[in-house]
Amino acid sequence: MLSPERLAQPDYEYLAQRHVLTYMEDAVYQLLENREDISQYGIARFFTEYFNSVCQGTHILFREFSFIQATPHNRASFLRAFWRCFRTVGKNGDLLTMREYHCLLQLLCPDFPLELTQKAARIVLMDDAMDCLMSFSDFLFAFQIQFYYSEFLDSVAAIYQDLLLGKNPNTVIVPTSSSGLHRQRPALGEAGVPEGVEASLFYQCLENLCDRHKYSCPPLALVKEILSGVQRLTFYGFLGTLSKHPGINQALGALPDKGDLMQDPAMDEELERLLAQVPGLAPAVTATPEPGCPPSRTPPRVGSPWRPLHHPRKVDTESDGSTEETDESET
């Protein structure tokens, strides 16, 4: 049954809003690229499986960056896939650097641009060096707003820069990859001059931006809520608050709340099912000891059916070969 929203929309508007043409073009391209394999089980089955994968959000795995950023659904699906694949990093309490998180992103999207990862890390680290360690949850929520709202944040950076320089930002903004504040932060103001911009004026500019912006924007009511609590703010202070706001996360709908970030029962159940099928890796069952028999303290060791691969340790060519650990800094 169609929703009232769907019934009230003309067909072309609904198709454009859902980016159906984008997926049809990609499906046809995939069909032509793999026509020899697809001919064995039929075109109808291919289209069925393709659009099932789109609905499930698995269609973005190992695809090129231009495709995973092509639609809001693709971006949300990529965020969800990144969380589900690497949430054990956070579950184990591991802290990683920006480049290590970038390597994880490239496992899902080989040509994922380093610049986006750097921008997300800057939201977390702010004044700290870019090689500092970050928790999984801090990076994930910062990466979420940077990736999903990328074009919007580029325009916000241009507005902020204009306000700092005393210009009128209520003009057409054409942000470039080098015009934003992500790569270079503005110098601190002179003595007695407050840092940042006036929050009320900043909100007026963002309100005008959201009215004309064709890309995804955060809910304006939540932006107003964030800015109404302060008199002045900095660009990265705004992005940091945006990334931590639970309402923004709920509006996107890609990730669970922070308290449930390490929980994924469906994935855990699937992993247990797959591990149970591997010889020698079945989960150990704790049996109740018989009366009079002391419990075994050391479980029997089961030989792994896989042969370990030994790789020579590589020394980073950009480092001095030192194995000294980087100091941890909490943000």
Side-chain angles (χ1 to χ4, degrees), residues 69-325:
Q69 70 159 357
T71 71
H73 175 66
N74 285 8
R75 297 187 187 199
S77 298
F78 185 79
L79 287 167
R80 192 176 300 110
F82 181 76
W83 160 64
R84 298 191 75 184
C85 288
F86 304 115
R87 68 188 172 91
T88 51
V89 172
K91 205 169 184 179
N92 296 335
D94 296 328
L95 302 176
L96 303 181
T97 64
M98 178 275 297
R99 289 196 174 272
E100 288 171 328
Y101 281 116
H102 184 66
C103 290
L104 297 182
L105 289 167
Q106 287 186 310
L107 291 177
L108 302 181
C109 174
D111 66 336
F112 196 91
L114 177 62
E115 183 183 9
L116 265 181
T117 313
Q118 291 173 330
K119 289 178 178 181
R122 178 57 65 199
I123 297 174
V124 179
L125 299 174
M126 300 185 72
D127 291 324
D128 294 329
M130 289 294 285
D131 59 351
C132 289
L133 300 174
M134 295 173 282
S135 71
F136 180 73
S137 61
D138 285 345
F139 176 80
L140 180 62
F141 285 115
F143 175 71
Q144 174 176 234
I145 67 161
Q146 179 58 62
F147 177 60
Y148 194 89
Y149 296 128
S150 180
E151 295 83 3
F152 171 78
L153 295 187
D154 285 343
S155 297
V156 172
I159 287 175
Y160 182 85
Q161 182 65 40
D162 284 344
L163 288 176
L164 282 181
L165 299 176
K167 297 180 180 179
N168 179 16
N170 290 323
T171 55
V172 178
I173 299 172
V174 184
T176 63
S177 60
S178 60
S179 65
L181 301 181
H182 294 279
R183 302 202 314 175
Q184 183 176 358
R185 304 189 69 208
L188 293 177
E190 298 177 358
V193 179
E195 187 181 8
V197 299
E198 185 181 344
S200 59
L201 180 58
F202 189 52
Y203 172 73
Q204 293 175 11
C205 297
L206 295 190
E207 189 176 25
N208 294 333
L209 174 64
C210 291
D211 288 340
R212 67 174 184 264
H213 208 273
K214 65 179 181 178
Y215 296 103
S216 299
C217 302
L220 199 55
L222 297 180
V223 174
K224 184 176 182 180
E225 176 187 327
I226 292 172
L227 297 180
S228 62
V230 295
Q231 292 184 345
R232 301 184 69 87
L233 80 165
T234 63
F235 179 69
Y236 286 100
F238 171 66
L239 295 192
T241 305
L242 202 66
S243 68
K244 297 174 184 176
H245 197 290
I248 299 292
N249 183 54
Q250 292 172 7
L252 284 175
L255 302 176
D257 294 335
K258 188 172 183 178
D260 301 325
L261 196 62
M262 305 310 163
Q263 307 298 324
D264 188 2
M267 177 64 79
D268 290 339
E269 183 178 347
E270 180 66 14
L271 287 175
E272 289 180 4
R273 185 185 67 81
L274 293 174
L275 288 175
Q277 297 175 4
V278 179
L281 293 183
V285 179
T286 304
T288 303
E290 297 182 3
C293 296
S296 175
R297 299 191 179 209
T298 306
R301 301 186 62 177
V302 181
S304 171
W306 312 111
R307 296 182 59 186
L309 298 177
H310 299 283
H311 298 285
R313 183 176 179 180
K314 293 173 119 182
V315 178
D316 190 352
T317 56
E318 296 181 358
S319 70
D320 57 1
S322 173
T323 58
E324 200 172 312
E325 294 185 357

